[in-house]
Amino acid sequence: MRERRRGRYLLDDPVTNKGSAFTEAERKELGLEGLLPAATESIERQLERVLGHLAVKPNDLERYIYLIDLCDRDETLFYRTIMSDPARFVPIVYDPTIAEACLKFGHIYRRARGMYVTRAMKGRMREVLRNWPFDDVRFICVSSGGRILGLGDIGANGMPIPIGKLQLYTACAAVPPDGLLPILFDIGTTNESLRNDPLYLGLREVPPGDQEVDALVDEFVAAVQEVFPGCCIHFEDWKGTDAIRLLERYRDKILCYNDDIQGTASVAIAGLTTALQIIGAKLSDQRILFVGAGSAGIGIANMIVEATVAEGLSREAARERISMFDVNGLLVSSRADLSSSQRGYARELGAMTDLQKVVETVKPSVLIGVSTKGGVFTQAVVETMAALNERPIIFPLSNPTDRAECTPEQAYRWTKGKALVACGVQFPDVVLDGKVYRPGQANNFYVFPAIGLAVYATRPRHIDDRMFIAAAHATADQVDAEERARGMLFPKQASILATEITTAARVAEHIFDRGEATVPRPKDVRAWIEAMTYRPEYR
C-alpha cells in the first residue's frame, strides 16, 4: 500500500501527483499551499496544455521524450493523453518511434524506470526484486535486449521496449498500471559499438552461453514466484534461440508467454482470418510461405498449425502447407544448419536460394515477411504472387519502417490493387486508379494488452496458444463490412480500447470454458471486466 504523502513528496510521486488539479481544500490538507500556482485546473485543461507542448516539438522522438517525462511527473495525465487519441500517440510511445528511442537510449536517458537485473546479481535475485516498492505486481515484462524489433542485439538500450509494452497494457486495454513492472535482464551485448559507447548504460560484456543464461533465468523465474506470487512473466525481445527455448522451458510450469512468438502469431492470424473472410476461403486450404524463419516466423507457423488442426486438418498435413525461406534459402530437409524448431517445416525439395523461384515452385496463396530485410519482396516476387492468386495475401511484417519487406503502395501497385495487405507498422493510405486502400497494421498491440486484461481478471494457471487464437478471432470479428471493403484487416486504432475490452472478454470466456481460471465465473463477463479497468482520472 502506498503511504499517504504530503507536500513536495506528493508532487514528486507521479502516481499521486495532480499538479495544478489539486483543489484548494486538498492543498490545505496536504501541505501544498504555496507550492503550486493559484489556479485550480481540470485534467482536460491540463491535457490542452500538453497537446500544445507536443505541437511545437520538432519530431516524434522529441515527443516521445516529452511524454516519457510526463509519465515520470504525472502518470494519470500521461495516460489521459495517450488514451485521448491512441491512433496518434501509440506510434509515438511505441512502434515506430521507439526504435529510434532504443538506438539513442543512453543519450536520451533521464531517470530510471522499472528494474535492471544483471549477471552480478546471481544468487541474490530475490533480494534485488524486493527492492521494488510494491508487492502486488501482476505482470513483469522482461527483455534481454537481444533482438529488438529489426535492430538486433542492443542490450540495455532495449529497456524502452518493456516500458512501452506495459504502457500499452494500460493505454490500449486499461490494465491498471500499478501492477506492472518492466525489467531489463542485462546479460551483456554482442554489439561492440554499444560496448564502446561511453554513454552506454549496460554491462560492457559479451553475453554468456545458453547454459549460464538458463541458470540465470531459472533463478529469476523462481525469485518472481516467491516475491510476486501469481505474477505473469511476459518475455519480450530475447534473442531468437533464447526466446524459443525459454518459452518451451516455462510455458507449462508458470504463468508466462512470449509476445514475439505468441502475440505476433496471434495478430497475424487475426489479419489472415479477416482476409480469408473477405475472399470466402478457409485457412486449411491456404499454402503459406514465410520469408524469415526465426522465433517470430516459427511462432506464427506453429499457431497457424494449431488453428488449421482446429479446422479438421491433421497436424502433418497442416505443416506440409507451410514453407519457410531464410537467409540461406528455402528450408529443405537436406540442410544441416536448421534448428530443431525449423526442421518441422523443412520441405522435401531441392535447395533454392532465389525467392521468386521458391514462390513459383511452392505456389503460396499467403506471403508473410518476418525477415527484417527491407525490400526482399521485389516486384518480380509480388507479381508472381498476383499471377498465382486472384487475391494474394501479402504481409510484410518486419519493422521499423525501413525493414518492411515491401511497402503497401508497392504491393497494391504491383498486383493492380488485388493484394490484401498488412504491415508491422502503420503506413498511409494508398490511392491507386482513384480507389483508396487502407493497409492494415498487424501490430501486436491489438492482442497482447487484451490477453493481459483477460489474465488480470481471470488469473489462469497457464497461458497457451488457444487463448491467442481466441484473441485473433475476436479481433478479426470486429472489422466491419465498410472497413473490409477498403481492404482493412484490423479494427480502427481510434477505438482500440473498446476493441481490446471486447477481445479480453472473449478470451476470458474461453479461459472460463476450459476451466483454467482460478476465480469464480461472473454472470456477465464483459461487465465484470469493465469494472476492473483503469480510468485516467485523478483520485
Side-chain angles (χ1 to χ4, degrees), residues 6 28 52 65 68 99 150 166-167 174 176 192 210 226 256 297 314 338 372 399 404 457 477 485 501 508 512:
R6 291 176 52 80
K28 289 179 180 178
I65 293 170
I68 293 300
L166 291 178
Q167 287 173 339
E192 186 176 1
D210 292 352
E226 181 177 321
C256 72
S314 71
L338 303 183
T372 72
N399 57 63
D477 289 347
I501 289 175
F512 281 120

Side-chain angles (χ1 to χ4, degrees), residues 186-476:
D186 192 351
I187 54 175
T189 177
T190 59
N191 192 319
E192 186 176 1
S193 64
L194 282 179
R195 297 200 305 267
N196 293 330
D197 182 350
L199 294 181
Y200 178 62
L201 289 164
L203 291 179
R204 299 173 189 271
E205 304 172 2
V206 175
D210 292 352
Q211 187 172 357
E212 184 177 344
V213 169
D214 289 352
L216 289 166
V217 178
D218 277 349
E219 182 185 345
F220 170 75
V221 168
V224 169
Q225 308 313 302
E226 181 177 321
V227 179
F228 307 119
C231 177
C232 175
I233 298 178
H234 166 165
F235 290 101
E236 183 69 35
D237 285 341
W238 291 67
K239 183 180 70 176
T241 52
D242 288 347
I244 294 171
R245 187 180 71 256
L246 294 175
L247 179 61
E248 290 306 311
R249 190 178 183 90
Y250 300 114
R251 66 189 303 167
D252 295 328
K253 298 177 182 177
I254 64 168
L255 186 64
C256 72
Y257 73 97
N258 184 299
D259 182 53
D260 304 301
I261 297 173
Q262 294 162 293
T264 301
S266 180
V267 79
I269 290 176
L272 276 175
T273 299
T274 310
L276 294 172
Q277 288 171 348
I278 290 172
I279 63 178
K282 293 173 60 179
L283 180 61
S284 54
D285 291 332
Q286 306 311 302
R287 295 176 304 280
I288 301 170
L289 173 62
F290 287 86
V291 179
S295 59
I298 295 294
I300 299 171
N302 288 346
M303 199 171 289
I304 286 174
V305 168
E306 292 299 321
T308 305
V309 168
E311 289 188 3
L313 215 59
S314 71
R315 193 170 299 277
E316 181 180 0
R319 284 183 175 272
E320 288 175 352
R321 301 189 73 82
I322 295 173
S323 302
M324 290 191 150
F325 183 95
D326 69 3
V327 66
N328 294 318
L330 184 68
L331 269 60
V332 294
S333 56
S334 60
R335 280 178 53 175
D337 62 337
L338 303 183
S339 68
S340 58
S341 58
Q342 292 172 326
R343 289 191 195 103
Y345 296 102
R347 303 293 301 274
E348 297 294 333
L349 295 169
M352 283 185 274
T353 57
D354 184 290
L355 181 57
Q356 183 186 354
K357 295 295 184 184
V358 171
V359 172
E360 291 173 349
T361 301
V362 304
K363 296 178 172 53
S365 53
V366 180
L367 182 63
I368 298 177
V370 282
S371 67
T372 72
K373 185 177 180 181
V376 71
F377 291 178
T378 63
Q379 182 172 352
V381 167
V382 174
E383 287 180 345
T384 302
M385 285 291 296
L388 291 168
N389 303 281
E390 179 61 29
R391 299 295 306 273
I393 298 171
I394 299 176
F395 285 7
L397 299 183
S398 292
N399 57 63
T401 306
D402 63 350
R403 305 298 175 97
E405 286 77 11
C406 71
T407 67
E409 189 275 334
Q410 291 170 330
Y412 292 128
R413 177 159 48 85
W414 293 337
T415 64
K416 297 181 172 55
K418 297 194 301 180
L420 292 164
V421 182
C423 302
V425 295
Q426 186 62 61
F427 281 86
D429 289 0
V430 175
V431 180
L432 183 66
D433 296 330
K435 184 176 180 179
V436 178
Y437 298 86
R438 180 144 182 91
Q441 184 181 7
N443 194 296
N444 299 19
F445 68 67
Y446 277 108
V447 169
F448 74 82
I451 291 284
L453 181 56
V455 169
Y456 180 89
T458 63
R459 294 178 176 260
R461 298 174 181 84
H462 300 97
I463 298 173
D464 63 21
D465 285 354
R466 286 177 288 181
M467 296 178 191
F468 283 92
I469 293 171
H473 292 160
T475 302

Side-chain angles (χ1 to χ4, degrees), residues 69-260:
D69 181 64
L70 176 62
C71 191
D72 288 336
R73 292 184 285 109
D74 187 334
E75 183 180 85
T76 305
L77 183 55
F78 167 80
Y79 283 114
R80 186 60 166 256
T81 302
I82 305 305
M83 296 169 81
S84 71
D85 191 350
R88 175 184 176 186
F89 291 117
V90 166
I92 295 174
V93 297
Y94 201 65
D95 205 13
T97 308
I98 205 166
E100 187 177 2
C102 286
L103 290 174
K104 299 179 179 177
F105 177 66
H107 296 253
I108 65 174
Y109 176 83
R110 292 330 195 241
R111 62 179 288 183
R113 292 187 64 82
M115 298 191 76
Y116 295 79
V117 174
T118 73
R119 295 166 67 184
M121 297 168 186
K122 184 177 181 180
R124 301 185 296 110
M125 290 190 190
R126 288 172 178 80
E127 175 187 343
V128 171
L129 290 180
R130 288 193 175 98
N131 288 336
W132 188 246
F134 307 108
D135 297 328
D136 188 19
V137 174
R138 302 287 296 276
F139 291 92
I140 287 173
C141 182
V142 59
S143 177
S144 68
R147 191 206 60 80
I148 298 292
L149 302 172
L151 306 176
D153 181 359
I154 60 172
N157 274 24
M159 184 52 154
I161 295 293
I163 292 171
K165 285 282 184 177
L166 291 178
Q167 287 173 339
L168 294 193
Y169 272 57
T170 302
C172 295
V175 177
D178 53 2
L180 309 178
L181 172 56
I183 293 182
L184 193 286
F185 201 85
D186 192 351
I187 54 175
T189 177
T190 59
N191 192 319
E192 186 176 1
S193 64
L194 282 179
R195 297 200 305 267
N196 293 330
D197 182 350
L199 294 181
Y200 178 62
L201 289 164
L203 291 179
R204 299 173 189 271
E205 304 172 2
V206 175
D210 292 352
Q211 187 172 357
E212 184 177 344
V213 169
D214 289 352
L216 289 166
V217 178
D218 277 349
E219 182 185 345
F220 170 75
V221 168
V224 169
Q225 308 313 302
E226 181 177 321
V227 179
F228 307 119
C231 177
C232 175
I233 298 178
H234 166 165
F235 290 101
E236 183 69 35
D237 285 341
W238 291 67
K239 183 180 70 176
T241 52
D242 288 347
I244 294 171
R245 187 180 71 256
L246 294 175
L247 179 61
E248 290 306 311
R249 190 178 183 90
Y250 300 114
R251 66 189 303 167
D252 295 328
K253 298 177 182 177
I254 64 168
L255 186 64
C256 72
Y257 73 97
N258 184 299
D259 182 53
D260 304 301

Side-chain angles (χ1 to χ4, degrees), residues 481-522:
E482 179 183 349
E483 292 164 347
R484 295 178 186 212
R486 296 180 60 196
M488 291 178 64
L489 305 182
F490 296 90
K492 295 175 182 175
Q493 292 181 21
S495 57
I496 191 70
L497 180 58
T499 298
E500 301 244 12
I501 289 175
T502 297
T503 299
R506 287 268 295 272
V507 174
E509 294 274 8
H510 172 84
I511 291 170
F512 281 120
D513 289 345
R514 292 180 48 218
E516 281 287 335
T518 60
V519 299
R521 183 172 192 153

